[in-house]
Amino acid sequence: MSDLENFDWPQQYEFPPFFTVQPNEETRKHQFKGWSQLILNYCQEKRIFVIEKARTDIPLFHNKTIKRQLSIDALGQILEDMQSKGKVEWSDRTKERCFIYWNSPAEWGNMIYEWAKSNGLLNTVETFFEILNSDTDFRGMDLPMLIQCLKSLQKSQKAEIIGEDGVKFF
């Protein structure tokens, strides 16, 4: 089965103008809100933690049925809008890659902490590899994104990042 069959696409995904940035400000706000929700839902369901702006060929941005594809410029504008609302964070200075936050870093950090707590991992050191390969909602998370989440735990003194590949939970 393809991604198109495995995902509940919103109605506007079948509407060709959805794939072109609208000139009217109010219409564009509504359009960007629709794209934001679609990106968050799709990434959450498909467990995508990072989006590369140049990858507009994936089903999320390319509806082959209606032969429409979001342009790189349009995606950049949508991601900028999402960034202003705290839903994405650019992972590089060139703004080519971004972390997708269907949960905030603090929310992810709390989930990681609860996982550590429920698995008896307090006062022990876990490697980033062990965390990223655990059978959890954060399995497969991008390493720099994991570090962002662990930094939120470190700020609340629930964890300490150890070296370059470990964390101790308190």
Side-chain angles (χ1 to χ4, degrees):
M1 266 189 178
S2 72
D3 277 341
L4 291 175
E5 296 168 2
N6 285 333
F7 185 73
D8 188 20
W9 297 98
Q11 277 187 314
Q12 67 256 40
Y13 187 75
E14 301 300 324
F15 187 56
F18 187 58
F19 289 82
T20 305
V21 175
Q22 297 302 300
N24 179 281
E25 186 178 347
E26 284 304 310
T27 304
R28 187 173 49 254
K29 283 181 185 178
H30 185 70
Q31 177 190 29
F32 282 13
K33 182 178 178 183
W35 269 111
S36 177
Q37 197 58 51
L38 174 57
I39 291 168
L40 294 172
N41 290 343
Y42 184 88
C43 289
Q44 182 174 13
E45 186 167 312
K46 302 295 180 184
R47 308 205 33 75
I48 297 170
F49 295 96
V50 174
I51 286 183
E52 294 184 23
K53 196 167 63 173
R55 293 296 319 270
T56 59
D57 58 336
I58 64 173
L60 175 57
F61 306 121
H62 187 188
N63 184 334
K64 292 180 182 178
T65 306
I66 63 169
K67 299 178 180 155
R68 293 287 191 209
Q69 182 172 344
L70 196 63
S71 72
I72 292 172
D73 181 60
L75 178 56
Q77 290 179 52
I78 292 163
L79 293 174
E80 283 289 337
D81 183 66
M82 291 176 71
Q83 188 263 335
S84 74
K85 295 172 174 66
K87 296 299 181 184
V88 304
E89 180 181 347
W90 295 107
S91 65
D92 62 343
R93 290 178 189 214
T94 60
K95 297 185 177 185
E96 295 299 319
R97 296 179 79 236
C98 63
F99 302 129
I100 303 296
Y101 293 144
W102 66 85
N103 290 315
S104 70
E107 291 168 331
W108 280 117
N110 287 333
M111 284 187 255
I112 293 166
Y113 184 78
E114 288 304 315
W115 165 80
K117 191 171 156 184
S118 68
N119 285 288
L121 301 174
L122 298 185
N123 298 310
T124 66
V125 176
E126 290 296 303
T127 66
F128 297 159
F129 178 84
E130 291 167 320
I131 295 168
L132 294 174
N133 289 287
S134 60
D135 188 22
T136 61
D137 287 341
F138 40 88
R139 177 185 181 92
M141 181 182 284
D142 196 65
L143 179 59
M145 187 171 168
L146 172 67
I147 293 168
Q148 288 290 95
C149 301
L150 294 175
K151 283 180 180 178
S152 74
L153 287 177
Q154 193 166 263
K155 284 180 187 172
S156 61
Q157 300 181 337
K158 292 182 177 179
E160 178 183 355
I161 297 173
I162 308 291
E164 293 185 15
D165 65 352
V167 61
K168 183 174 183 177
F169 297 100
F170 305 110

